[in-house]
Amino acid sequence: MTTSMLTLALLFLLMKYLEAWLPSHDRQQQHTRSINSCSKNVKSIATAILASSNDEATSGEEQENTFLVEVTYQGRSCKVSISANETLLAGLERARVPDQLAIPELPSECRRGNCLTCAGRHSSNSQESSVRRGEDGLSPFMSRQTLQSGYILTCSSYVTGDGLKLELGENHRAWADLYQGRLYDESTQYVARKAMARTIRRSDEQNPERWAVETKIALDKSGE
């Protein structure tokens, strides 16, 4: 039994004793008023103790759902506690990580998991299972690509355990990998050349006279 509960039990017994103790005759009413006043005070104290006990229990539950996260940004690191009920970005802001890392603010923009500005990655020896992806604003394909590429969108991700080591400021690399890189890989180039050839063929089919002239010019040049 905690100290708060023991105090509550003693106050309850005192109240019952006072209610049972009623002197007789001419002083009965005076003592009854005193007892009623005392009973109200006891009840008020008991209510306060119960509220304090509930707050302690809630605080204990929050501490159980709080995990230690190591954050690194541009070579500077710090460790902060983040609740499982808040996004990584919200927890980092609440813990004043920008002040600890001596930066103006954490990279973020849309706060919906759509723009990739808040993107981070697991640092070396990070516990990758200690983070959970929430809903983001990306298409299903891009959301899968982001996950497979190892990026963490801090505005829509939650910590689920200790051991997370987070490298912030990976937005430029994320944009390059997920968008720019797709424009220059071999499969995308092949699709682009195929689409261009199809467009040229359709244009020539609709203008056979022009095609004949251009073909003759090309053959003449090749014969030179």
Side-chain angles (χ1 to χ4, degrees), residues 53-195:
S53 298
N54 292 334
D55 291 342
E56 291 176 359
T58 302
S59 177
E61 292 177 357
E62 292 178 351
Q63 290 180 358
E64 290 179 358
N65 293 325
T66 299
F67 305 102
L68 191 64
V69 177
E70 182 178 326
V71 184
T72 302
Y73 183 65
Q74 295 182 351
R76 295 182 291 272
S77 301
C78 67
K79 293 183 179 180
V80 295
S81 295
I82 296 180
S83 171
N85 299 322
E86 59 186 351
T87 63
L88 277 168
L89 179 59
L92 296 174
E93 291 175 337
R94 177 187 52 76
R96 299 182 180 278
V97 168
D99 293 341
Q100 298 190 52
L101 298 181
I103 58 177
E105 60 183 358
L106 294 173
S108 67
E109 189 66 34
C110 72
R111 307 183 78 89
R112 295 190 303 272
N114 188 37
C115 67
L116 303 182
T117 305
C118 69
R121 293 184 71 117
H122 288 282
S123 299
S124 179
N125 300 320
S126 174
Q127 187 66 38
E128 296 189 9
S129 61
S130 61
V131 65
R132 173 177 65 85
R133 285 282 299 276
E135 295 184 1
D136 55 49
L138 299 172
S139 67
F141 174 78
M142 290 305 300
S143 184
R144 290 192 300 270
Q145 289 293 106
T146 302
L147 180 62
Q148 293 172 2
S149 299
Y151 292 105
I152 301 173
L153 303 182
T154 60
C155 71
S156 59
S157 298
Y158 300 83
V159 61
T160 60
D162 292 322
L164 175 61
K165 297 182 178 180
L166 183 63
E167 178 76 32
L168 297 177
E170 296 294 302
N171 45 6
H172 295 291
R173 181 183 296 182
W175 291 328
D177 290 347
L178 299 174
Y179 290 109
Q180 184 179 357
R182 294 176 61 200
L183 299 177
Y184 296 100
D185 62 14
E186 184 60 31
S187 60
T188 303
Q189 291 293 318
Y190 171 76
V191 172
R193 289 193 296 268
K194 189 174 181 181

Side-chain angles (χ1 to χ4, degrees), residues 29-44:
Q29 292 183 352
Q30 180 181 354
H31 282 278
T32 299
R33 287 193 296 269
S34 299
I35 290 170
N36 289 338
S37 177
C38 184
S39 297
K40 291 180 180 179
N41 292 335
V42 170
K43 290 179 180 178
S44 298

